[in-house]
Amino acid sequence: MKISSFFKTITIKQADIITVSVIFLCTMIFVGLLVEEMYEDYEKAIEQSYVISIESLSESELIAQKHQRLKSLLIKTALAIVTLSFILFAIFLGFHNLFNKLLHMDTKRFLKFFEQNTHSDYIIDPNKIFFQDFKIMVGYANEMVTKIKEQRDSLEELNQGLEERVKMKMTKLESINENLEKEKKFSQDLLKAQKEFLRYTVHETNTPLSVILMSIELYLMKNPRDRQLSKIEAAVKNIFSIYDDLSYLVKKDQVEYPKRAINFANYINARIDFFTEVAEQSKVSFNNKIQAKEMHIYFNETKLQRIVDNTITNAIKYTLPKEVVTVTLMQIGANIEFAMGSKAKTIKDTQKVFHEYYREEEKADGFGIGLGLVRSICEEENIKISVSSDAHETVFKYVFKMMGD
């Protein structure tokens, strides 16, 4: 029982030591036996030699007999050594073959382990392994397979969970996309209806506004101007400015706006005259510092009117009562700078003031589309805009290219 348990725990190094020890022990035994046998032969040869010498053999005969006996002893010794060598070789070869077979069996089991583990979770039985070194390796290999299996099972569970979550997400996304498509279609229909309504409203507004303005002009030709009539005229002109903005928004993607030569100074003077009544009703006055000389630009009049009118109405709306709006127009190199400044409430964010529908004061009148419209036109025509605002003055500046440069 102890021997079998010993061989179950034997290592390759221990097997090598046992093999060498057994061969060495066998060699020592055979050598001892050979020495003992040769010693007996020598004793017999000496005794016989002594007996012959007593019988008074001749010297030549005695030498011949000794030579013959020594020769026989030499041959016998040589044969014994050869025999011993063959025996030792056979023993060594037997142990070597046994060791190789055991090593081959353990190696074959490991090869089978690696081959089958490419497709399945194969585990080696440690009791079928002979060498202890391989048994230790079997422990590590089986532990590795177990961990790999656990990780693979965990990954499979995770993948299944991920697939389920992905399916749920995809279902939700499909539902969201359907809702978005419905909302998009609704928004497009609503926008289309809004545009149609705006187009119809703008078209229908033009006629009564024109009639009102014409009636005021005809009335002023026969009667003096009074305060109530001035208020009506200022209100109508404000409505006309809003109408022009809406009209441009409705038509800008459908109508071409050709450019022509415009005397910038005359044009701004005319627009200031148009809004003078509006300014007076807001208790604001203009300080016109436009130079008398002619300054021409190559521009579309509709787009220019939107820039100038929105800047003027914006100044009138936000300038503090009894303050002056200063209007300047000057040539700077190959450019013309149009500026309008006045004392007004400080603009907190000068970058956002040109954004569509932006108003710093929620209670302020208007829709916040005028300056947004100005910005889009300036971007289209490469006009530089700058705004500065502090407690003393708020200034809007526009830089146009002079005609011919």
Side-chain angles (χ1 to χ4, degrees), residues 43-55:
E43 281 187 344
K44 289 177 182 180
I46 291 171
E47 288 177 358
Q48 290 177 1
S49 175
Y50 179 75
V51 172
I52 291 171
S53 61
I54 293 174
E55 293 177 355

Side-chain angles (χ1 to χ4, degrees), residues 283-295:
K283 299 179 181 179
V284 174
S285 60
F286 288 105
N287 180 15
N288 193 339
K289 291 186 177 181
I290 297 176
Q291 298 177 6
K293 66 178 183 179
E294 293 187 352
M295 286 178 281

Side-chain angles (χ1 to χ4, degrees), residues 17 24 210 237 272 385:
I17 294 173
F24 180 76
S210 298
K237 288 183 177 179
I272 290 174
I385 313 174

